[in-house]
Amino acid sequence: MQNKKDFRSGYVAVIGEPNVGKSTLINNYMGCKLSIVTHKPQTTRKKIMGILTKENYQIIFFDTPGIIEPTYELQKYMVKTAYSVIKEADILLMMVEPFKQPAKIHRDVVKKLAAFNKPILLVINKVDMVEKDKLLPIIASYNTLMKFSEIIPISAKEGTNLERLLSLIVQYLPEGEPLYPEDSITDYNERFLAAEIIREKVFEFYGEEIPYSATVEIEEFKEREKGRDYIKAIIYVERKSQKGIIIGEEGKAIKHVGVIARKDIEDQLGREVFLELHVKVMEKWRKDTHKLKRLGYQ
């Protein structure tokens, strides 16, 4: 990419509670699925980077884990990750829903964000699900918390007002050269993306506590010049009973997960793969800092 006099580039952190639509927004802008999306909260566990490059700007989006009051070590890691991204970002997007007045957690988030003295855009998502007369009091309530750089109502799912939000983000970006090659869309490798897709299918296919007790590790990833790439993945759960549920009667459940995960992985990578799934028990991995580091949560 040639250097341009008026080019803008920078990092944008998307912060908010679980399930407010952070991943949906970034995937919409990127035009592909970088962050896994399910109807269940707390799906995103790590910082996900999406690099959007156009003629006169480059935006590096950070998708972050949802901010909650953590109760065990994995949740502590997730919240710590969300807040650590703020330090790296040039612009902060605080995403909220339009269904209720600001709560304590929103006030706490605003207080922490304000301390960094960076442009803060309040993004009110899912406005397609409320009447306009109910939205205005919500905007007024958030206005009392602090003076946001901008307040933008959107629907990430429906695409409402996304062009307006994008133009505002570009407006607040610092001037500067591209930070990544123009053909880059993320800094994560294919092993990570494959693991995330498998974990997404676990969230989609299993109920109750199973998705929250499960994590995925790619044990082998072999690219082949001839034939399909080979991926061996381990799904870790915390209890033997959970392992049985993941596998299912006569292995039907795990086979189903493998089929739908393989298709999405092939779509993402643009080539055929052979996916081999195994299920193992790692007791209390979510509460053990050593096991979390072993699984890549650092």
Side-chain angles (χ1 to χ4, degrees):
M1 175 180 290
Q2 296 180 345
N3 295 335
K4 296 180 180 292
K5 182 179 179 181
D6 297 326
F7 199 88
R8 293 176 178 269
S9 62
Y11 295 90
V12 177
V14 187
I15 308 291
E17 290 180 278
N19 221 27
V20 294
K22 302 183 295 294
S23 299
T24 301
L25 175 68
I26 293 174
N27 288 343
N28 195 310
Y29 280 141
M30 295 302 302
C32 63
K33 182 186 286 188
L34 285 182
S35 296
I36 64 177
V37 178
T38 77
H39 66 280
K40 296 184 175 73
Q42 299 179 46
T43 303
T44 302
R45 290 178 177 169
K46 296 184 179 181
K47 175 184 74 176
I48 310 292
M49 178 190 286
I51 305 166
L52 179 64
T53 305
K54 299 296 182 181
E55 184 179 355
N56 62 336
Y57 65 82
Q58 183 178 81
I59 303 171
I60 300 96
F61 287 105
F62 286 141
D63 188 7
T64 62
I67 294 176
I68 56 174
E69 292 293 338
T71 58
Y72 49 83
E73 291 302 319
L74 175 60
Q75 289 182 338
K76 291 178 183 177
Y77 162 84
M78 291 161 62
V79 174
K80 181 180 178 182
T81 297
Y83 280 123
S84 68
V85 170
I86 297 171
K87 300 176 184 178
E88 305 176 52
D90 298 292
I91 302 168
L92 308 175
L93 301 191
M94 178 178 170
M95 184 174 281
V96 300
E97 294 179 332
F99 310 126
K100 58 185 179 181
Q101 300 289 327
K104 179 181 181 299
I105 192 166
H106 301 112
R107 294 191 292 271
D108 291 344
V109 171
V110 165
K111 187 176 180 180
K112 290 184 179 181
L113 296 186
F116 287 89
N117 195 29
K118 297 178 178 182
I120 304 173
L121 282 62
L122 179 69
V123 180
I124 304 177
N125 191 27
K126 305 182 183 180
V127 297
D128 56 305
M129 300 174 67
V130 295
E131 299 293 333
K132 187 175 181 181
D133 60 344
K134 295 182 179 179
L135 177 61
L136 295 177
I138 300 295
I139 294 175
S141 296
Y142 276 100
N143 250 330
T144 64
L145 300 184
M146 69 169 292
K147 183 174 176 56
F148 291 96
S149 301
E150 306 283 348
I151 298 179
I152 312 100
I154 70 162
S155 171
K157 183 178 180 180
E158 300 297 329
T160 306
N161 239 5
L162 296 194
E163 285 297 324
R164 171 61 178 158
L165 173 57
L166 188 63
S167 68
L168 288 170
I169 292 172
V170 173
Q171 178 183 315
Y172 283 95
L173 282 177
E175 292 186 1
E177 298 180 359
L179 301 170
Y180 292 87
E182 65 175 312
D183 58 349
S184 297
I185 62 170
T186 186
D187 65 337
Y188 275 115
N189 59 31
E190 293 177 341
R191 293 175 71 104
F192 174 82
L193 295 174
E196 285 289 273
I197 288 171
I198 297 167
R199 194 167 64 83
E200 177 185 57
K201 303 314 169 191
V202 172
F203 262 84
E204 291 176 349
F205 192 66
Y206 300 97
E208 304 302 327
E209 85 284 357
I210 294 293
Y212 301 102
S213 300
T215 192
V216 177
E217 180 180 53
I218 303 298
E219 192 170 82
E220 292 184 58
F221 194 121
K222 295 179 181 178
E223 295 186 42
R224 294 168 172 165
E225 291 186 9
K226 295 183 179 180
R228 295 178 291 174
D229 289 359
Y230 173 74
I231 301 174
K232 180 180 179 181
I234 311 297
I235 301 174
Y236 287 103
V237 290
E238 293 187 308
R239 298 194 302 273
K240 189 175 181 180
S241 60
Q242 294 170 339
K243 177 179 178 179
I245 294 171
I246 291 280
I247 295 173
E249 183 180 353
E250 298 180 349
K252 291 179 181 178
I254 191 67
K255 183 179 180 179
H256 177 73
V257 168
V259 169
I260 57 176
R262 176 183 56 79
K263 184 180 184 303
D264 276 15
I265 292 171
E266 289 179 338
D267 289 344
Q268 186 81 306
L269 302 185
R271 57 185 188 271
E272 293 186 341
V273 303
F274 179 87
L275 177 62
E276 183 177 323
L277 294 181
H278 297 265
V279 187
K280 295 183 179 180
V281 176
M282 185 182 291
E283 294 183 356
K284 299 180 179 179
W285 67 265
R286 290 181 297 173
K287 300 179 180 180
D288 188 315
T289 55
H290 296 292
K291 291 177 181 177
L292 285 169
K293 288 181 181 179
R294 150 79 176 78
L295 292 168
Y297 298 98
Q298 299 177 354

